[in-house]
Amino acid sequence: MIPLGHYLIVSAVLFAVGSAGVFMRRNLITILLSIEIMLNAVNLAFVAFGRHAGIVDGQIIVAFVMTVAAAEAAVGLAIVVALFRHRESLNPDAFTSLKW
Amino acid sequence: MLPASFNAVVPMLCAGAGALVVMLAEAWRRKGERFPMALLAFIALAATGISLIFLWGRNQVSFEVVTADNFAVFVSLIIVAAGLLTVAFSTQVLERDGIPEGEYYALVLFAVVGMIMMAMANDLLVLFVGLEVMSLGVYVLTGIRRDNLAGIEGAFKYFLLGAFASAFFLYGIAFTFGVAGSTRLDKVAAFLAAQSMTGNPMVLLAMGLLIVGFAFKVSAVPFHMWTPDAYEGAPAVVTGFMSTGVKAAAFAGFVRVFLAAFEPFKADWAPALMVLAAATMIVGTVVGVAQSHLKRMLAYSSIAHGGYILVALVAANQLGKAAILFYLATYAITNLAAFGAIALLGSKDSARDGLHDYAGLWYSRPWVAGLLTVALLSLGGLPPTAGFIGKWYVFSAAVSSGYYGLAIIGVLSSVISVFFYMRVVVMMYMTDKSTGAAPTPVRGVGMVALVVTVAVILYLGILPTRVLNLAAASIGSIF
């Protein structure tokens, strides 16, 4: 059986990849995808912890998180569509009407 | 009738049912037909408030994860008051700015459901779901003027950083679950108290991630980047709602998680929060001084106010705990008054939120200028307003717990902040009439709501004992 630590390392790597993507990618849709990667990294950690402790809670929590992530994606994409209509661009650097 | 085990969720059911009715009414409304959406929202929120008052002192728990103890009821009442005042200010503003009524009130009510869920959550997962319900509603409210680029841009920044912070928060929950084997706060508390886990890296990681998540939501420096943009881009009524409701709910969760579950680790988290509190107070005031845009200035002011509440959370003695609740109440009512006045004075073409738009307001709209002055003085913490009493208790709590440095930074930053509040007041009274168009007249429900908020500010400033005792009684028995 694969020990708990391995799952947690994969989860941490995924989480790091996701958060790096939020800062480094220059496309609004890719940034949204990066946030999804972060949430799924957390899901992996939940399932691993739940299985390690021999309880089903971890997997139930994941169902909640997936629901929330879906709702979040819907709202995020709607906002991106509204933004795109103003500037016809998906580059975050195009949106600078608000400054410090 | 509902079984007794549902008692604690009745307030959420009231607000949620109201939201659904508003949404259905909007969907079935014939084109051109008018429907009193505001009245519906008002009734739903009033029902929520009444059910909360019935829950006072009863310590009802539903499904083992939603607890309506007095602390939760107190915070929920602040949230409902914020909702009611927002609805009252909105009636005039929505029609003027052409914001769709049905969507707006439904989202306000859904956000209130999420906020109450956060205040009552006794389980980290419920807290997370409440946080998201609240946030999703507020993201959309921020960008509800789709034709306004600043609004949508503010909404996107808020959404992006909010979702980013949620992921951190969730990761913190995952580690807590991994350590304690449960997301229930009472079980986590029992587990951490029973085992000596001091210095356990997993617990420290969990706490750090949870702090990052909460710090984003209460806009503590350095996690405050979204705040000025979201507050400036959103319509002023929405800003009033989210700067008070979101903050009250997020602090309720913050207090419950850290004073109930992670209390044994206070030696570890207190220094981190101390640094956050000091940075928040300093950056909030110093950058606030440089702003020439009223909504942005108030955004930085609300960042600084978050810092004062963090000071009370770090102090966390009996006085400090009561001060958190009392400060949340005074801050909420004061900020609602200020943003309400800004919202009511604007017009469709100009939001009237530049500082120079307020030149000579005293001559054109003396009543509103007077009411706005009281709100600004209260934000600055001058007697005899509510803000003074709130700050007084926060700083005396810090001193009595021995956090002299924080108290000194707090007093200094509130002295500096008086400068930028007074700048607006001077603008209103001592400059000649501005040459632009006269500000929109304020009347009807909006004016009544404004007078009520100012009356409450003065009441809390002159006779604070009653509310302060309620705050102390509601929090003292729990944590």
Side-chain angles (χ1 to χ4, degrees):
Chain A
M1 191 178 138
I2 307 169
L4 176 66
H6 288 44
Y7 287 109
L8 293 185
I9 290 168
V10 173
S11 148
V13 168
L14 276 177
F15 196 82
V17 167
S19 33
V22 170
F23 288 110
M24 280 148 62
R25 297 308 292 257
R26 297 264 65 97
N27 181 308
L28 298 180
I29 303 285
T30 323
I31 293 176
L32 290 187
L33 287 176
S34 304
I35 289 179
E36 293 296 313
I37 294 178
M38 292 170 76
L39 289 176
N40 283 312
V42 180
N43 281 347
L44 182 60
F46 270 121
V47 174
F49 279 128
R51 178 137 177 92
H52 180 72
I55 44 178
V56 77
D57 298 28
Q59 293 167 44
I60 296 170
I61 292 171
V62 168
F64 275 85
V65 176
M66 278 153 84
T67 316
V68 166
E72 218 171 53
V75 169
L77 285 173
I79 295 177
V80 170
V81 168
L83 260 182
F84 185 76
R85 290 206 175 134
H86 279 283
R87 284 280 155 87
E88 301 278 317
S89 163
L90 283 176
N91 187 344
D93 300 327
F95 302 99
T96 50
S97 62
L98 298 166
K99 269 207 194 111
W100 75 279
Chain B
M1 281 310 285
L2 289 171
S5 66
F6 275 68
N7 280 353
V9 292
V10 167
M12 283 184 256
L13 291 180
C14 289
L20 292 178
V21 170
V22 169
M23 224 160 72
L24 291 176
E26 173 72 20
W28 262 285
R29 188 172 62 97
R30 276 192 216 92
K31 209 165 181 153
E33 190 188 15
R34 309 260 306 155
F35 195 86
M37 305 280 184
L39 189 67
L40 252 175
F42 200 85
I43 292 170
L45 283 171
T48 313
I50 291 167
S51 60
L52 282 168
I53 292 169
F54 275 113
L55 283 172
W56 180 267
R58 291 177 190 233
N59 276 325
Q60 295 290 330
V61 178
S62 289
F63 321 121
E64 303 184 335
V65 291
V66 177
T67 158
D69 48 23
N70 283 358
F71 168 70
V73 172
F74 193 98
V75 177
S76 303
L77 281 172
I78 296 177
I79 292 163
V80 168
L84 282 171
L85 288 167
T86 306
V87 170
F89 289 131
S90 303
T91 48
Q92 201 181 346
V93 176
L94 294 194
E95 203 177 327
R96 188 191 70 203
D97 292 357
I99 296 173
E101 274 194 318
E103 284 95 326
Y104 179 87
Y105 289 119
L107 286 167
V108 168
L109 287 168
F110 279 131
V112 166
V113 174
M115 290 168 188
I116 296 179
M117 199 187 284
M118 278 190 87
M120 291 187 174
N122 190 30
D123 183 299
L124 285 168
L125 189 62
V126 176
L127 189 67
F128 175 71
V129 173
L131 181 98
E132 286 297 320
V133 170
M134 166 186 87
S135 302
L136 290 177
V138 177
Y139 299 147
V140 182
L141 280 175
T142 305
I144 199 154
R145 292 177 301 176
R146 270 180 305 172
D147 48 353
N148 180 315
L149 178 59
I152 288 286
E153 194 185 315
F156 186 75
K157 286 180 180 167
Y158 189 13
F159 168 81
L160 192 66
L161 290 173
F164 188 64
S166 298
F168 276 89
F169 186 72
L170 197 63
Y171 213 22
I173 296 177
F175 281 113
T176 314
F177 172 72
V179 172
S182 170
T183 49
R184 286 258 302 274
L185 286 176
D186 47 351
K187 288 192 179 163
V188 174
F191 183 86
L192 291 179
Q195 251 99 27
S196 93
M197 312 268 294
T198 326
N200 182 315
M202 205 117 109
V203 180
L204 295 181
L205 193 61
M207 282 197 305
L209 290 164
L210 288 174
I211 288 178
V212 170
F214 277 124
F216 261 104
K217 286 293 157 196
V218 302
S219 55
V221 176
F223 308 108
H224 68 291
M225 298 310 190
W226 57 273
T227 317
D229 291 342
Y231 283 17
E232 185 186 338
V237 265
V238 174
T239 313
F241 178 61
M242 68 183 185
S243 66
T244 54
V246 172
K247 207 158 256 190
F251 265 112
F254 211 154
V255 167
R256 205 186 276 280
V257 170
F258 281 89
L259 290 185
F262 288 105
E263 171 69 21
F265 285 83
K266 184 156 192 268
D268 292 311
W269 57 257
L273 290 194
M274 240 170 88
V275 175
L276 281 184
T280 308
M281 289 187 290
I282 294 170
V283 172
T285 28
V286 170
V287 184
V289 168
Q291 301 301 320
S292 61
H293 191 282
L294 190 57
K295 257 156 93 189
R296 228 173 161 72
M297 189 201 90
L298 287 177
Y300 280 103
S301 124
S302 81
I303 292 174
H305 282 279
Y308 303 135
I309 304 175
L310 278 176
V311 171
L313 177 56
V314 172
N317 46 15
Q318 281 309 315
L319 193 59
K321 289 174 188 169
I324 297 173
L325 283 181
F326 187 77
Y327 202 96
L328 275 177
T330 62
Y331 163 79
I333 204 82
T334 312
N335 237 21
L336 280 164
F339 279 109
I342 295 173
L344 293 171
L345 286 172
S347 64
K348 188 171 170 50
D349 312 314
S350 114
R352 289 193 77 80
D353 40 15
L355 208 49
H356 55 89
D357 287 328
Y358 288 80
L361 188 69
W362 167 250
Y363 301 101
S364 47
R365 301 270 173 260
W367 281 96
V368 183
L371 296 171
L372 184 56
T373 309
V374 177
L376 289 171
L377 293 182
S378 177
L379 282 173
L382 295 176
T385 56
F388 171 71
I389 307 286
K391 284 209 174 104
W392 171 265
Y393 278 104
V394 167
F395 297 144
S396 49
V399 169
S400 67
S401 285
Y403 293 102
Y404 298 106
L406 278 184
I408 290 169
I409 295 174
V411 171
L412 284 181
S413 71
S414 52
V415 169
I416 298 171
S417 74
V418 170
F419 164 75
F420 58 77
Y421 299 120
M422 287 314 279
R423 207 157 64 141
V424 185
V425 175
V426 168
M427 208 66 162
M428 290 196 292
Y429 290 89
M430 297 179 191
T431 354
D432 289 337
K433 253 185 192 160
S434 66
T435 45
T440 318
V442 180
R443 55 173 99 84
V445 189
M447 192 66 186
V448 173
L450 212 52
V451 171
V452 169
T453 50
V454 169
V456 175
I457 293 174
L458 292 174
Y459 168 74
L460 288 178
I462 297 164
L463 301 163
T465 335
R466 203 181 145 80
V467 178
L468 201 63
N469 286 343
L470 279 180
S474 72
I475 198 171
S477 56
I478 296 165
F479 306 121

